[in-house]
Amino acid sequence: MNLNLIHTFCLIYEHQGISRAADELHLSQPTVSYSLKQLRRAYNDQLFYRERGLLHPTLRAQQIYPDLRAALDLIASTELFSHGFEPASSTREFVLMLSDLGEVVFLPLIQSLFETRAPSAQLRIEPLDVPKVPEKLTTGEIDAAIQTPHFHSDDVERTVIYRDVYVVVANMNHPRIQESVSLDQLSAERFIRIKSSIGHDAPENLLLKAGVQLQTGILGTRVVSVPGVVMNSDLLGIIPEAVVESLGWSERLQILPSPIPAERMEVSLMSRVKRRRTAPQKWFIDLIKEGVESMSRSTGGENLPEVRYSRGG
């Protein structure tokens, strides 16, 4: 058993196949297959079985993977810290998961800092898939994610990096809504609503508790689509104020406070816990926080970076 075999095992586990592991290792598939045979002999277990074109881990593989991956991460972190990480000369690819809202509000400032500090590195954005965030952070497939939904994981740290307020948006020439909106008006109007699965259902839940059920005109999937629809219809929307500000449409819409006061929406940076972070990841996480902080200063939003919970270290 050696580090190369452990690395091979982890990549097969994470990619559920030999070909993608071979690509990442820059080895031939027969070479990786031979390494898998050695691993099977060493652990006296099949480790993986094929089903529907993918390699699935056996119970034994599931048991040993977390410790082996943690060991690799620790070694990588130790080596990188001892040699130092130089962002100015790095060619590393950093991977960040963002929703459509995150791409509009946060990405421009993050990218500006990224290009300045690490001009030879690459930044890849993956669509936010909340249920997969813990696994992808743990396996190293992504370096960070920005989201509003909460979850708990022993290997993931959640840091609140921005707080925003939900507002009601209406057409400037709306025939019934002008300057303010009441609960009765919200009950009578139709809305462009966003599917709750992406994590923006808090305002509607508060309204439900007050006995207000929003009428649906459009049920959408992208928060950033709301202002455009509202500007061209009598539909109302409830969205974070930062969306309107970032799109530059604050002068083209009525931005009205909700008749039910609510706590500010928390935007969180999800990352590995500190003990499993590599030096590049630490640098990247600090850069994201700096970018969001600069946005808060320019827009007047509330930025209070704090670790809300840290599980596992």
Side-chain angles (χ1 to χ4, degrees):
M1 184 61 63
N2 57 54
L3 284 178
N4 289 331
L5 285 178
I6 294 174
H7 193 196
T8 298
F9 167 81
C10 288
L11 289 178
I12 294 173
Y13 189 102
E14 292 160 8
H15 294 307
Q16 293 186 285
I18 289 175
S19 60
R20 290 181 62 188
D23 290 341
E24 188 162 337
L25 291 164
H26 302 290
L27 298 173
S28 67
Q29 291 188 35
T31 299
V32 175
S33 296
Y34 178 73
S35 296
L36 179 55
K37 289 180 181 179
Q38 291 179 289
L39 286 161
R40 284 168 168 164
R41 285 197 297 268
Y43 283 102
N44 193 30
D45 188 89
Q46 188 70 10
L47 296 180
F48 301 96
Y49 62 92
R50 186 171 295 279
E51 184 177 295
R52 296 182 180 180
L54 297 175
L55 290 181
H56 298 271
T58 63
L59 178 60
R60 179 61 173 151
Q62 294 176 48
Q63 290 171 338
I64 63 176
Y65 170 77
D67 288 339
L68 293 182
R69 170 44 73 184
L72 284 180
D73 292 339
L74 180 61
I75 292 169
S77 176
T78 302
E79 289 178 350
L80 287 164
F81 274 117
S82 63
H83 293 291
F85 171 67
E86 298 294 338
S89 58
S90 174
T91 58
R92 186 188 192 277
E93 179 184 71
F94 293 83
V95 185
L96 174 63
M97 262 195 172
L98 288 174
S99 65
D100 63 314
L101 171 59
E103 290 191 32
V104 169
V105 176
F106 302 115
L107 181 57
L109 291 166
I110 294 171
Q111 177 63 17
S112 177
L113 284 176
F114 188 88
E115 287 191 349
T116 301
R117 309 274 176 82
S120 299
Q122 297 104 42
L123 176 57
R124 175 160 58 91
I125 304 301
E126 286 196 0
L128 181 64
D129 189 343
V130 174
K132 293 184 179 179
V133 168
E135 177 187 353
K136 285 183 174 288
L137 284 172
T138 301
T139 61
E141 292 180 68
I142 64 173
D143 297 295
I146 297 177
Q147 62 183 56
T148 55
H150 300 175
F151 62 78
H152 293 270
S153 169
D154 290 338
D155 296 312
V156 176
E157 180 178 288
R158 170 180 170 248
T159 306
V160 179
I161 57 173
Y162 190 78
R163 290 193 177 99
D164 200 1
V165 62
Y166 284 100
V167 294
V168 179
V169 289
N171 191 305
M172 293 291 286
N173 300 311
H174 198 285
R176 294 170 297 280
I177 307 295
Q178 286 295 324
E179 297 184 359
S180 64
V181 61
S182 67
L183 283 177
D184 289 340
Q185 288 175 311
L186 290 182
S187 298
E189 297 295 331
R190 298 209 308 160
F191 283 74
I192 170 171
R193 298 174 53 237
I194 303 302
K195 290 183 178 179
S196 61
S197 60
I198 67 172
H200 291 278
D201 53 355
E204 290 195 26
N205 290 336
L206 283 174
L207 290 170
L208 280 173
K209 290 180 180 179
V212 177
Q213 173 72 58
L214 299 187
Q215 298 183 50
T216 303
I218 297 175
L219 182 61
T221 59
R222 293 169 58 85
V223 176
V224 294
S225 68
V226 174
V229 170
V230 168
M231 282 193 299
N232 291 281
S233 72
D234 290 341
L235 297 178
L236 303 183
I238 302 179
I239 58 175
E241 189 171 15
V243 176
V244 185
E245 297 289 344
S246 297
L247 293 172
W249 288 349
S250 56
E251 302 298 323
R252 302 169 65 185
L253 291 166
Q254 293 190 69
I255 305 174
L256 310 171
S258 171
I260 299 181
E263 292 185 3
R264 286 179 173 263
M265 173 193 73
E266 292 183 342
V267 179
S268 300
L269 174 63
M270 314 302 290
S271 59
R272 283 175 165 176
V273 291
K274 289 184 176 65
R275 65 182 174 82
R276 294 198 59 199
R277 251 177 241 168
T278 64
Q281 287 173 339
K282 181 181 182 301
W283 171 84
F284 187 49
I285 290 163
D286 289 341
L287 179 136
I288 292 172
K289 292 178 181 178
E290 183 180 344
V292 176
E293 183 179 359
S294 69
M295 187 194 82
S296 299
R297 289 195 298 267
S298 63
T299 64
E302 183 181 352
N303 173 274
L304 295 171
E306 64 180 284
V307 178
R308 292 301 299 272
Y309 59 80
S310 177
R311 303 285 301 277

